[in-house]
Amino acid sequence: MPRIDFSALPDHGRLWVFPASRRLDQNEVSTLLDEADAFLDSWAAHGVPLRSGRELRHDQFLLVGVDEDAEAPSGCSIDALVGRLRDLGRGFGVTLVEHAPVWYREAGDVCVVPRAVFRDLASAGTVGPDTAVFDTTLTRLGELRTEGLERPARGAWHGAVFFRDASG
């Protein structure tokens, strides 16, 4: 089962969020999507094709989903995906598989900072529970569709980590 439209994947499908460390330019977007499509077209677990799809948001967040009912990805197939995206990111001079930083929106722009810097911003009141953040830890398509990739910090893991004393 080859690559399908991302929106056709079921809510209970597996999701990976690959955040770029900066916004990609249009040439990089085109290359990323072409390379992702080529990979997904032949992605398999133990020789069985995976029913998968992808979507790019904000020229910075590559979302990859798999219908586990058709075939579940194996550890080796997941490693192959991560490895391919790591290599692709290196070619652009970005990381695509790093989840330690915090991605958030400031004045309409997507910003990325180390967690310690985000903690300092929170302590200074520069960011707060209503700051829009991007939850790159989502693992199910249904979570993405109901909760959203971008939402107020209070509604994501960021709220419990950085704003636990804030009401909400």
Side-chain angles (χ1 to χ4, degrees):
M1 287 176 237
R3 176 175 46 93
I4 63 169
D5 188 86
F6 188 80
S7 64
L9 292 167
D11 282 348
H12 60 273
R14 178 79 187 271
L15 172 70
W16 292 269
V17 179
F18 295 99
S21 53
R22 65 166 169 76
R23 186 178 179 157
L24 302 175
D25 67 34
Q26 289 310 299
N27 288 333
E28 293 167 331
V29 164
S30 179
T31 299
L32 174 65
L33 295 178
D34 288 348
E35 292 289 329
D37 288 348
F39 180 89
L40 295 179
D41 283 342
S42 63
W43 197 23
H46 304 291
V48 179
L50 295 173
R51 187 170 185 248
S52 59
R54 59 86 184 144
E55 182 175 287
L56 184 67
R57 294 194 181 173
H58 311 294
D59 294 336
Q60 196 159 354
F61 300 92
L62 178 66
L63 310 175
V64 175
V66 172
D67 180 355
E68 294 179 307
D69 289 343
E71 181 66 31
S74 64
C76 292
S77 65
I78 295 167
D79 288 348
L81 171 65
V82 171
R84 180 66 190 115
L85 291 174
R86 180 177 288 123
D87 291 345
L88 199 55
R90 281 188 197 126
F92 300 147
V94 301
T95 60
L96 287 170
V97 296
E98 177 68 45
H99 291 275
V102 174
W103 283 261
Y104 68 102
R105 193 173 291 282
E106 181 180 299
D109 294 324
V110 176
C111 301
V112 58
V113 295
R115 288 184 187 199
V117 171
F118 194 81
R119 181 176 307 284
D120 292 344
L121 292 171
S123 294
T126 305
V127 297
D130 294 320
T131 297
V133 296
F134 296 85
D135 188 351
T136 63
T137 67
L138 297 173
T139 60
R140 294 287 162 202
L141 288 154
E143 292 174 313
L144 174 70
R145 292 171 179 152
T146 59
E147 298 171 22
L149 176 65
E150 180 180 2
R151 59 183 183 271
R154 76 173 71 248
W157 65 265
H158 308 72
V161 172
F162 300 108
F163 308 107
R164 84 179 120 237
D165 295 331
S167 63

